[in-house]
Amino acid sequence: MPHVVTQSCCGDASCVYACPVNCIHPTPDEPDFATSEMLYIDPTTCVDCGACVSACPVDAIVPSHRIPLGQERFTDINALAYAADGQLGLTDARFPVDPVQRLPLAPIEHPRALGIEEPVSVGIVGSGPSAMYAADDLLRHRSVSVTIYERLRRPFGLARYGVAPDHTRTRQVIDLFDDIARNPRVEILLDTEIGRDITLDDLRARHHAVIWAGGAPTDRRLEIENIDAPGVGSATSFVGWYNGHPDFASLDPDLSHRCAVVVGNGNVALNVARILVGGAGRLAETSIAPRALAALESSSIEPVTVLGRRGPEHAAFTLPELVGLVDNGLRVVTDVSDFADVSYDNLDPVARTKLELLEELATDEPVSGRHIRLAFHHTPQAVSVDGSGAADGLVVANSQRTGLSTTTTLPAGLILTSVGYRGRPVPGLPFDAARAVIPHDEGRVVDDGRRVPGMYVTGWIKRGPSGFIGTNKTDSGETVASLLADLEAGLLPRPTRGSKRRPTRGSRATLVRAGR
């Protein structure tokens, strides 16, 4: 195979548009693009030109003879995604699936002339991936200028504060956002909060259009007994703590206990577990917050149990994240009993490979020392507390497919919940409380079925907390396309105030390279 996609793939599809022979899938036009764990290179079609290598913002694509140590499995993972005829499907005839029909070559899109001569001003709230991809699309049109309003003192949101510090290649997407921010027609106002320093009405009065890209900043709450006990926290806050997020600077997790439990088994849960048991030495040369590094150096935590409510075939973490965890020197185990009644029927090749890898890790022998246990069929019931009221364990129900159910208590002085994110209501904008998103029609904000003139939405607050960094590129592209169509149709309100007056506390962004 000439080239291979590896773990750090962010799925933003830059490689798809750079490829001259349409050998990278799924493309944005394929129905599973928004939910695909990564992209794959067709080994029968790739001509080894290297265009994708240059286009990838996170150095995820490498020649097959230069696979990084610990990522050798990705050669097989890419090959498994294709049948012998080059179409997406299984290479293993025992598990046939219908191949995806080959699509036309992915187009190289060029900005079309808007037919608008006067300057157009767009405000974007937030500076995370969805905001920066939206800005990039808008700035392709010379009549458009962009002002980005960021609450924090450093830009780029989850790309800076959400990606694990040891995922150095994935963090390179910040370089792409740096390049976008250097465009002379974009301005980032840091330390500027809507509602504190500038009102939403004032924002709308300054710009032809406003895109809300505020993300989903709060956690879904796990409603069980004693969930607020000392020693219980959220994975989100823990990630913010070790990444130096200012909102979590005062967090002081107690790492003096021997056992920890992470509730939930998505990628964030695996990242948290890896940081807890991986050893501070692995992190010393990364961008981890110094305070967190010092705490991890003296940590007593050895086993970390990562809990999933359903079986291993339903694990929420992605195959690339699992491969990165297993093949980099950490001890990872699963329980033999979790695979007693597992079916491989009707699994796609990626899901099947993930399940096979999980089963390879299975053991019924005692495991000591620092390690991660991926446990399935465990439903949290309550937090167990000691005499002082602090957490000392998690009560879980073990529900196997047999219908038998037992309750056990897992020892844990540190319990972190990682069961999802929620968007927050935005004063002045409609909000769907059930889905925790801003209602929209192809990115246009709608209130009771009617479009709100000049207001748009993108990112997690638009679609919910799903997808990966690159998913925001397609998402923002849809929103920007709607905005530009409305602009050409004369549907955008004209600004009623000048946009040059600074908000109360806003300051021009000083762009700095993030520590890797």
Side-chain angles (χ1 to χ4, degrees):
M1 180 181 297
H3 283 79
V4 176
V5 181
T6 60
Q7 181 188 347
S8 58
C9 176
C10 69
D12 86 339
S14 296
C15 57
V16 173
Y17 293 107
C19 178
V21 293
N22 193 35
C23 74
I24 306 176
H25 295 269
T27 71
D29 297 320
E30 292 174 7
D32 57 349
F33 179 81
T35 57
S36 178
E37 295 184 352
M38 61 184 292
L39 305 180
Y40 307 93
I41 296 178
D42 180 354
T44 66
T45 309
C46 177
V47 294
D48 201 18
C49 69
C52 56
V53 177
S54 302
C56 179
V58 293
D59 290 346
I61 305 176
V62 295
S64 58
H65 62 282
R66 295 181 182 174
I67 300 294
L69 185 65
Q71 299 199 38
E72 294 85 354
R73 292 181 194 259
F74 285 100
T75 299
D76 293 335
I77 290 170
N78 275 259
L80 186 62
Y82 291 88
D85 61 359
Q87 294 179 324
L88 283 173
L90 281 169
T91 56
D92 192 332
R94 295 174 300 164
F95 305 97
V97 295
D98 292 332
V100 174
Q101 293 297 317
R102 181 166 302 287
L103 299 177
L105 291 179
I108 304 297
E109 294 183 343
H110 297 284
R112 58 184 176 80
L114 282 177
I116 304 293
E117 296 183 1
E118 63 182 77
V120 176
S121 174
V122 177
I124 301 178
V125 179
S127 66
S130 63
M132 299 311 298
Y133 282 125
D136 189 34
D137 275 355
L138 288 165
L139 292 168
R140 298 174 190 273
H141 304 278
R142 295 183 178 180
S143 60
V144 179
S145 63
V146 174
T147 302
I148 297 173
Y149 300 84
E150 171 54 57
R151 179 178 67 88
L152 301 177
R153 294 178 181 271
R154 301 186 76 187
F156 310 146
L158 284 179
R160 184 183 301 279
Y161 294 116
V163 177
D166 55 343
H167 281 0
T168 53
R169 289 193 175 188
T170 304
R171 294 179 71 87
Q172 288 178 187
V173 74
I174 292 177
D175 292 344
L176 171 64
F177 298 155
D178 274 345
D179 290 340
I180 296 169
R182 288 191 180 95
N183 188 301
R185 287 181 286 113
V186 65
E187 183 176 34
I188 303 180
L189 298 180
L190 301 176
D191 194 23
T192 304
E193 184 173 351
I194 310 305
R196 183 193 68 186
D197 306 308
I198 184 172
T199 67
L200 181 61
D201 286 342
D202 191 29
L203 200 64
R204 296 173 65 181
R206 292 167 181 243
H207 303 286
H208 292 81
V210 175
I211 300 176
W212 193 277
T218 59
D219 295 278
R220 287 182 56 195
R221 181 176 170 84
L222 183 63
E223 296 291 352
I224 61 174
E225 185 179 356
N226 297 325
I227 192 62
D228 294 318
V232 182
S234 74
T236 300
S237 61
F238 190 78
V239 169
W241 170 71
Y242 65 61
N243 274 331
H245 193 299
D247 288 354
F248 305 104
S250 61
L251 195 69
D252 188 21
D254 186 354
L255 307 183
S256 65
H257 303 278
R258 178 176 172 272
C259 302
V261 169
V262 181
V263 181
N265 62 8
N267 283 355
V268 172
L270 260 58
N271 286 335
V272 166
R274 187 182 67 257
I275 295 296
L276 281 171
V277 304
R282 292 170 173 259
L283 301 168
E285 300 301 320
T286 71
S287 61
I288 190 170
R291 188 163 173 262
L293 182 62
L296 290 166
E297 286 175 342
S298 59
S299 171
S300 299
I301 291 175
E302 291 187 348
V304 176
T305 303
V306 178
L307 297 184
R309 180 176 56 85
R310 299 193 292 173
E313 69 273 36
H314 301 294
F317 49 75
T318 62
L319 176 58
E321 197 67 39
L322 178 62
V323 170
L325 182 70
V326 171
D327 287 352
N328 282 281
L330 296 180
R331 182 74 191 276
V332 183
V333 298
T334 58
D335 295 331
V336 171
S337 61
D338 284 336
F339 299 88
D341 195 27
V342 166
S343 172
Y344 284 81
D345 295 341
N346 301 318
L347 294 179
D348 64 54
V350 175
R352 178 178 175 79
T353 303
K354 181 163 63 174
L355 185 56
E356 289 175 340
L357 178 53
L358 288 170
E359 195 163 7
E360 286 180 21
L361 304 172
T363 181
D364 53 12
E365 298 292 330
V367 181
S368 60
R370 291 194 171 191
H371 67 277
I372 297 171
R373 175 186 171 218
L374 304 177
F376 302 93
H377 303 295
H378 283 62
T379 303
Q381 302 293 300
V383 174
S384 171
V385 297
D386 60 19
S388 69
D392 65 4
L394 183 68
V395 181
V396 297
N398 307 329
S399 54
Q400 299 292 346
R401 299 171 191 269
T402 59
L404 299 177
S405 180
T406 59
T407 299
T408 58
T409 299
L410 303 175
L414 176 67
I415 300 171
L416 299 173
T417 62
S418 183
V419 294
Y421 300 87
R422 281 184 60 85
R424 284 195 300 223
V426 177
L429 291 180
F431 189 71
D432 181 342
R435 298 183 57 225
V437 297
I438 294 175
H440 72 95
D441 175 16
E442 296 184 331
R444 301 175 177 93
V445 174
V446 295
D447 189 2
D448 197 22
R450 298 181 179 180
R451 295 178 181 176
V452 179
M455 284 300 309
Y456 301 83
V457 63
T458 189
W460 278 4
I461 193 63
K462 171 189 174 184
R463 68 180 187 274
S466 63
F468 311 97
I469 287 177
T471 310
N472 293 289
K473 186 171 186 176
T474 304
D475 186 302
S476 295
E478 177 187 66
T479 296
V480 169
S482 294
L483 187 158
L484 296 178
D486 292 347
L487 172 64
E488 290 185 303
L491 300 177
L492 297 186
R494 288 181 173 273
T496 58
R497 303 177 194 170
S499 61
K500 295 301 182 183
R501 182 170 58 87
R502 291 275 193 272
T504 307
R505 296 171 58 177
S507 60
R508 180 69 170 92
T510 300
L511 295 174
V512 295
R513 293 280 177 180
R516 301 296 180 222

